[in-house]
Amino acid sequence: MTETAEGGKRMTILRAAEKVFAQDGYHGTTMRRIAAEADVPLSLVVYHFTSKLGLFVAIFERRQYVNEQRLAQLHAIPDLQADDAVEQIVRAFVDPVLALHHDPEDAWFAKLVLREAGDPSNQDRPVLKVLFDPMAREFIDALREALPGKPDGFYQWGYLFSVGALTQSASEDRVANLTDKAYLEQKHDLLRSYIIAALRHG
């Protein structure tokens, strides 16, 4: 197998794994199921990733560019004490993630983040702690500067409640159960407005 072909197979496995983990969760997924979804031998999945945890972490490592985009937008805010600083912080927080929703292939990763964020066992895996928490601390520090004087705990919980709203925005199937229209064209603006209002008036 050439280096290019090997890299292509690895990407195929990662894409398949994103979908299966998003559908079945970490504990409900098997390497054999991922191999079947990717249409490759199980031995090839093990060759590239060694274990289920190794594959799971590799998915998030490949997608770390999304968090890097969020931090780049955050760092580009010229004045965190400006009147519209909260709006700029929220845009930096949500927009790179919402961009995933436009492509059905990328949307599986958004749904996987929703699953991982809500999984009580997520602290057993080095995903949130290693790949998300350093970014989270920077956003919390930015909120502290943009919204001074809030009580202890506000910034940390405000960030986590914002994560909840953002990850739920991937639940388009659930919206379809609640209304005969998904209102997808309104989702992005509504999400930003919701988080901004919660932070400003919480």
Side-chain angles (χ1 to χ4, degrees), residues 40 90 93 132 136 144 162 172 181 198:
V40 300
V90 170
F93 177 66
F132 283 81
R144 186 178 285 110
S162 300
E172 294 175 357
K181 279 189 66 179

Side-chain angles (χ1 to χ4, degrees), residues 95-133:
D95 285 5
V97 177
L98 292 177
L100 296 170
H101 296 190
H102 296 302
D103 186 325
E105 290 292 320
D106 291 336
W108 285 116
F109 179 67
K111 293 176 180 179
L112 176 56
V113 174
L114 167 61
R115 265 201 179 268
E116 183 67 357
D119 188 338
S121 70
N122 60 33
Q123 293 301 299
D124 298 335
R125 297 181 289 279
V127 171
L128 297 184
K129 287 185 286 189
V130 174
L131 299 176
F132 283 81
D133 285 357

